């Protein structure tokens, strides 16, 4: 069993597709192990995306991620990191496969509806960033 962090970004919440995104996870057999809606501060967004701090889009990305509420979820299942990224589609929605979340709902390369951890180590860091021991079972 693997875990990954999923975020429905401010554009996804604004577009009223929270239920649609969650339905795609559940239809694929993915379990939601923890979930909440929060509104990040700039500092909190910068901490979450610290790996991207040298990238040219860092300031714009962290502004976007603080522009409205987000839904954060810990997803659980076999091979869930790869499964989630397949459901999400490519970062750039124009390159994403038909039927993926980003292909269906993204606005541009930045406002691309969802985030998903890209490896077990980043998943562990990201789940720990948002969920404490009362909110998700240690394993
Ligand atoms: P995420 O980490 O959100 O799951 P990802 O792993 O597909 O997405 P990353 O390369 O980690 O993509 O980039 C993180 C996020 O930064 C992207 O999801 C997108 O919102 C934004 N981003 C990435 N590349 C660009 C870019 N060239 N211009 C603007 N924003 C970008
Ligand atoms: Mg990434």
């Amino acid at each position: 069993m693997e875990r990954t962090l999923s975020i429905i970004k401010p554009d996804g919440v604004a577009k009223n597709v929270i239920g649609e995104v969650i339905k795609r996870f559940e239809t694929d057999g993915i379990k939601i192990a923890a979930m909440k809606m929060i509104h990040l501060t700039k500092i909190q967004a910068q901490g979450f995306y610290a790996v991207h701090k040298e990238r040219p889009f860092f300031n714009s990305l962290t502004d976007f991620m603080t522009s409205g509420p987000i839904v954060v979820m810990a997803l659980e299942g076999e091979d869930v990191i790869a499964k989630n990224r397949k459901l999400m589609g490519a970062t750039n929605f124009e390159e994403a496969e038909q039927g993926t979340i980003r292909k269906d709902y993204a606005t541009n390369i930045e406002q691309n509806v969802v985030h998903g951890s890209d490896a077990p180590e980043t998943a562990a860091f990201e789940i720990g960033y948002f969920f404490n021991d009362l909110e998700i079972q240690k394993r």
Side-chain angles (χ1 to χ4, degrees), residues 55-122:
R55 307 282 279 276
F57 56 80
F58 182 67
N59 190 48
S60 173
L61 173 62
T62 51
D63 272 350
F64 162 56
M65 289 300 288
T66 59
S67 67
I70 62 173
V71 175
V72 289
M73 288 170 273
L75 306 181
E76 202 167 74
E78 201 175 313
D79 214 15
V80 73
I81 295 172
K83 261 190 179 172
N84 179 43
R85 290 189 70 91
K86 182 143 182 72
L87 290 174
M88 287 162 54
T91 309
N92 181 355
F93 78 108
E94 290 171 334
E95 291 161 14
E97 273 181 58
Q98 292 295 335
T100 59
I101 294 166
R102 285 168 166 169
K103 187 69 166 191
D104 290 345
Y105 300 113
T107 303
N108 54 47
I109 193 168
E110 178 180 84
Q111 299 186 23
N112 59 2
V113 195
V114 279
H115 163 84
S117 312
D118 57 14
E121 304 71 43
T122 46

Side-chain angles (χ1 to χ4, degrees), residues 7 16 20-21 24 32 41 71 74 78 82 91 100 118:
I7 302 178
N16 269 3
E20 178 60 33
V21 170
R24 291 180 187 212
I32 297 168
T41 65
V71 175
E78 201 175 313
T91 309
T100 59
D118 57 14

